[in-house]
């Protein structure tokens, strides 16, 4: 297998950060996505190369192996072990560190230990490559458990997304990665969730926060109001003389707890008092009378 420069494919340097990798991948994936380039075989090939590069470099462990072993990165563990065995049994490389090997020497070393026509090489089983994918969802999408179809390397995978998944959370689905070698097991599918929030609620783990505006008279006199929770409406009582900035808690009206069916966080409400505007002359007169009463 020829060496593929994944850094070059993404147009980044070897010292690039994980954030740089993610940004480069998203930019190129949008540019060459098959939906935007119908019947364009060159764009389709480029899109596959971009995905392959991202699957390796976006995973920090795989990236370390790739930086060290190049095209043989998937066999890094076996190569490390074989190198140690060779150092113990032979003086040829006994005093050399891993950084002393060139790309070609790694390949030759790998072939001498595992490949070619040797019986030992045919018995070594290698796990397939792990696939990495990013699944973008809205906050409202993860309020309830639901099923979602994810396309990875041209294959549709039906997933159950548990309620309460967090932004940046990573889950692993065994056996949905690349094919193994010599009868080895398939790699895994590693999914990172990217969750955007377009609701009026702020989420902090399992708790939700929102602001409710009260008119001056409801704040002063109290009474019943109807507010929006994340998935419904509820009625609640406002205490007389409620001050702006007052916080109240609605227990169990927050976000679902991940993989704990029926458990929810709390909803915290902050009251904002709206002062009346465009007062009529009569209203001004009444407020002046009220001011005189309060000053006595």
């Amino acid at each position: 297998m020829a060496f593929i420069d994944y850094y070059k494919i993404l147009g980044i340097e070897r010292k690039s950060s994980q954030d740089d990798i993610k940004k480069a991948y998203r930019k190129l994936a949008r540019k060459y996505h098959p939906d935007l380039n119908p019947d364009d075989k060159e764009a389709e090939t480029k899109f596959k190369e971009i995905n392959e590069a991202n699957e390796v470099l976006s995973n920090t462990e795989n990236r370390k192996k790739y930086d060290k072993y190049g095209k043989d990165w998937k066999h890094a563990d076996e190569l490390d072990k074989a190198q140690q065995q060779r150092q113990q049994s032979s003086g040829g490389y006994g005093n050399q560190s891993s950084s002393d090997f060139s790309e070609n020497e790694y390949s030759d070393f790998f072939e001498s230990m595992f490949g070619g026509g040797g019986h030992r090489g045919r018995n070594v089983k290698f796990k397939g490559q792990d696939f990495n994918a990013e699944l973008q969802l809205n906050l409202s999408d993860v309020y309830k458990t639901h099923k979602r179809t994810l396309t990875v390397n041209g294959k549709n995978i039906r997933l159950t997304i548990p309620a309460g998944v967090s932004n940046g959370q990573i889950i692993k689905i065994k056996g949905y990665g690349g094919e193994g070698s010599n009868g080895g097991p398939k790699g895994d599918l590693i999914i990172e969730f990217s969750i955007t929030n377009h609701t009026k609620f702020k989420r902090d783990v399992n708790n939700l926060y929102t602001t409710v505006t009260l008119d001056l008279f409801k704040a002063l006199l109290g009474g019943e109001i109807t507010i929006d929770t994340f998935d419904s409406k509820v009625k609640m009582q406002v205490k007389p003389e409620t001050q702006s900035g007052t916080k109240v808690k609605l227990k169990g009206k927050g976000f679902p707890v991940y993989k704990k069916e029926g458990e929810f966080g709390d909803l915290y409400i902050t009251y904002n008092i709206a002062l009346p505007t465009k007062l009529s002359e009569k209203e001004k007169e009444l407020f002046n009378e009220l001011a005189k009463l309060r000053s006595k």
Side-chain angles (χ1 to χ4, degrees):
M1 181 179 69
F3 173 70
I4 302 174
D5 191 337
Y6 292 138
Y7 291 100
K8 185 177 181 180
I9 288 174
L10 294 182
I12 56 177
E13 299 180 356
R14 295 182 71 88
K15 62 182 180 181
S16 297
S17 67
Q18 292 300 112
D19 190 50
D20 292 334
I21 292 171
K22 183 179 290 188
K23 289 179 180 178
Y25 166 70
R26 287 178 175 176
K27 180 180 179 180
L28 291 171
R30 284 194 295 267
K31 180 179 180 180
Y32 292 100
H33 197 283
D35 291 345
L36 301 178
N37 301 275
D39 302 321
D40 188 335
K41 295 298 182 181
E42 185 176 343
E44 181 180 347
T45 300
K46 187 70 175 177
F47 184 71
K48 290 180 179 179
E49 292 176 349
I50 294 165
N51 274 299
E52 181 180 338
N54 180 63
E55 285 164 5
V56 176
L57 299 184
S58 64
N59 182 298
T60 53
E61 289 301 316
N62 288 346
R63 184 183 179 184
K64 289 178 182 177
K65 294 176 182 178
Y66 173 78
D67 288 344
K68 183 177 180 181
Y69 288 110
K71 68 184 180 63
D72 294 322
W73 71 269
K74 287 190 288 186
H75 309 304
D77 294 338
E78 290 85 356
L79 283 166
D80 285 339
K81 183 177 179 181
Q83 181 183 337
Q84 292 173 1
Q85 292 175 346
R86 181 161 180 157
Q87 288 173 346
Q88 293 172 359
S89 61
S90 172
Y93 291 108
N95 296 320
Q96 284 184 297
S97 65
S98 59
S99 61
D100 293 327
F101 286 94
S102 68
E103 173 67 27
N104 290 332
E105 286 173 326
Y106 268 131
S107 298
D108 294 340
F109 181 47
F110 176 75
E111 290 296 329
S112 68
M113 298 303 295
F114 297 109
H119 295 290
R120 184 177 180 181
R122 288 196 296 268
N123 293 329
V124 177
K125 298 180 179 180
F126 299 113
K127 178 184 175 183
Q129 177 182 343
D130 289 341
F131 290 162
N132 291 271
E134 181 182 76
L135 183 55
Q136 296 185 350
L137 299 170
N138 294 320
L139 187 63
S140 55
D141 293 330
V142 294
Y143 186 78
K144 293 182 178 180
T145 298
H146 70 285
K147 294 187 181 297
R148 180 70 61 108
T149 299
L150 181 64
T151 302
V152 179
N153 279 15
K155 296 181 180 179
N156 292 331
I157 302 173
R158 187 74 166 167
L159 304 175
T160 298
I161 310 298
V165 167
S166 300
N167 183 48
Q169 184 171 340
I170 294 175
I171 64 173
K172 179 188 293 186
I173 303 178
K174 294 184 68 65
Y176 278 84
E179 296 289 339
S181 301
N182 290 344
K186 286 186 175 181
D188 302 323
L189 172 60
I190 300 171
I191 301 174
E192 180 178 354
F193 291 94
S194 177
I195 300 175
T196 57
N197 184 5
H198 300 296
T199 74
K200 63 181 180 180
F201 300 92
K202 178 183 177 182
R203 180 188 181 189
D204 183 9
V205 190
N206 302 318
N207 294 325
L208 293 175
Y209 298 81
T210 192
T211 299
V212 172
T213 299
L214 299 177
D215 63 55
L216 177 63
F217 310 103
K218 188 70 70 175
L220 288 173
L221 303 176
E224 185 178 83
I225 61 172
T226 300
I227 67 163
D228 293 320
T229 64
F230 200 87
D231 66 338
S232 63
K233 295 180 180 293
V234 298
K235 292 182 178 181
M236 59 185 300
Q237 290 292 325
V238 176
K239 293 181 179 180
E241 301 179 12
T242 292
Q243 302 296 305
S244 186
T246 297
K247 293 181 173 61
V248 294
K249 179 176 75 173
L250 293 183
K251 189 172 179 59
K253 289 297 182 179
F255 216 71
V257 180
Y258 180 67
K259 286 195 173 180
K260 291 188 178 180
E261 189 173 353
E263 291 190 26
F264 292 80
D266 302 322
L267 172 60
Y268 291 86
I269 298 169
T270 300
Y271 288 131
N272 177 48
I273 311 301
L275 298 178
T277 59
K278 299 180 180 179
L279 297 176
S280 67
E281 290 302 318
K282 181 62 175 178
E283 287 173 324
K284 291 179 181 178
E285 181 182 332
L286 291 173
F287 272 111
N288 280 324
E289 290 182 13
L290 179 61
K292 291 176 182 179
L293 288 173
R294 295 291 294 179
S295 63
K296 290 181 180 180

